[in-house]
């Protein structure tokens, strides 16, 4: 029993710390200019940028699937992104029925990121950047990963200014080099911070095991 407690005391905290270390923090998705009006059952091409720490391309390997997901409360539609020439730049073709859709970015193994709400027919209202990310983004130095084609400025203001910060444009043609309109019906996945509750639970288990070990040693 003592050996088991010793193993738990050392291994569990290490596992809890190792998982978020791989995450490298967090990422957000910033949209390119979007159509001024989105009509039902009409094809549009949307460009978007997946920015680690809100400022630069993902620097690791095996990011995983990148996509835009639309949920109306009854079903979810996922449109897989195609990598473009610029680092961190993706595009996908979408077509949606009438309704109000919550828009979420699937960011590989990063936590999903809420982009905003799309009304069909209507337009896209961009959600403000979560407050826990804003200070970190503003404090980072400018990133020089791009040329003339680069991500839009990340809106760091309040909800009202963030909703209107993304400029609008007419629909563009689908990008070459892939099939951006890959549509899949999927279950709703909740977003959140990169710090998962499971890590906290694992850490608490490690502390509990260590306390139990110390108690047994003291009694002996």
């Amino acid at each position: 029993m003592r050996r088991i407690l010793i193993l738990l005391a050392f291994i569990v905290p290490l596992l809890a710390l190792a998982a978020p270390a791989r995450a490298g923090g967090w990422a957000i998705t910033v949209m390119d200019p979007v159509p001024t009006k989105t009509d039902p059952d009409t094809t549009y091409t949307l460009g978007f940028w997946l920015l680690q720490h809100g400022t630069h391309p993902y620097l690791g390997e095996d990011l995983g699937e990148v996509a835009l997901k639309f949920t109306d409360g009854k079903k979810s539609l996922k449109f897989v992104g195609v990598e473009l020439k610029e680092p961190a730049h993706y595009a996908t073709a979408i077509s949606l029925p009438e309704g109000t859709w919550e828009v979420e970015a699937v960011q590989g193994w990063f936590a999903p990121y809420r982009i905003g709400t799309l009304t069909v027919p209507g337009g896209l209202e961009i959600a403000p950047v979560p407050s826990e990310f804003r200070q970190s983004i503003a404090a980072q130095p400018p990133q020089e990963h791009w040329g003339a084609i680069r991500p839009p400025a990340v809106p760091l203001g309040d909800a009202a200014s963030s909703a209107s910060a993304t400029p609008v444009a007419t629909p563009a043609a689908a990008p070459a080099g892939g099939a951006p309109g890959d549509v899949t019906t999927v279950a709703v996945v909740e977003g959140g911070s990169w710090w998962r509750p499971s890590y906290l639970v694992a850490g608490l288990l490690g502390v509990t095991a260590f306390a139990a070990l110390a108690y047994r040693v003291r009694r002996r």
Side-chain angles (χ1 to χ4, degrees):
M1 181 64 181
R2 184 178 179 182
R3 292 180 180 178
I4 295 175
L5 290 174
I6 292 175
L7 289 175
L8 286 174
F10 286 96
I11 294 177
V12 175
L14 289 176
L15 290 175
L17 294 173
R22 178 184 182 273
W26 43 272
I28 69 172
T29 292
V30 180
M31 298 298 297
D32 276 332
V34 297
T36 55
K37 182 181 179 182
T38 305
D39 293 317
D41 304 313
T42 303
T43 300
Y44 299 95
T45 297
L46 303 181
F48 56 100
W49 304 76
L50 194 160
L51 303 176
Q52 186 176 15
H53 300 156
T55 59
H56 59 82
Y58 170 60
L59 302 178
E61 299 179 355
D62 301 325
L63 174 60
E65 184 179 70
V66 174
L68 296 180
K69 187 168 67 174
F70 299 80
T71 305
D72 68 352
K74 298 179 181 179
K75 61 179 178 297
S76 293
L77 297 175
K78 182 175 64 176
F79 300 86
V80 178
V82 173
E83 287 189 71
L84 301 181
K85 179 174 63 175
E86 301 78 27
H89 200 189
Y90 297 83
T92 188
I94 71 166
S95 180
L96 297 168
E98 184 174 337
T100 300
W101 301 85
E102 287 297 313
V103 187
E104 183 180 68
V106 178
Q107 304 187 124
W109 52 261
F110 286 110
Y113 180 79
R114 181 175 180 265
I115 294 174
T117 304
L118 175 64
T119 304
V120 182
L124 175 64
E125 181 179 356
I126 301 294
V129 175
S131 58
E132 63 266 28
F133 297 160
R134 295 179 196 171
Q135 185 175 358
S136 178
I137 295 173
Q140 294 185 60
Q143 301 288 328
E144 298 300 330
H145 298 282
W146 302 280
I149 302 177
R150 57 193 305 112
V154 178
L156 297 178
D158 57 23
S161 60
S162 297
S164 59
T166 301
V168 295
T170 55
D182 183 9
V183 184
T184 307
T185 302
V186 295
V188 177
V189 180
E190 294 295 335
S193 171
W194 59 270
W195 181 260
R196 302 279 197 264
S198 58
Y199 304 148
L200 179 60
V201 172
L204 291 175
L205 286 175
V207 172
T208 302
F210 183 80
L213 174 61
Y215 177 75
R216 289 175 61 90
V217 171
R218 183 179 179 183
R219 289 191 61 184
R220 292 186 180 184

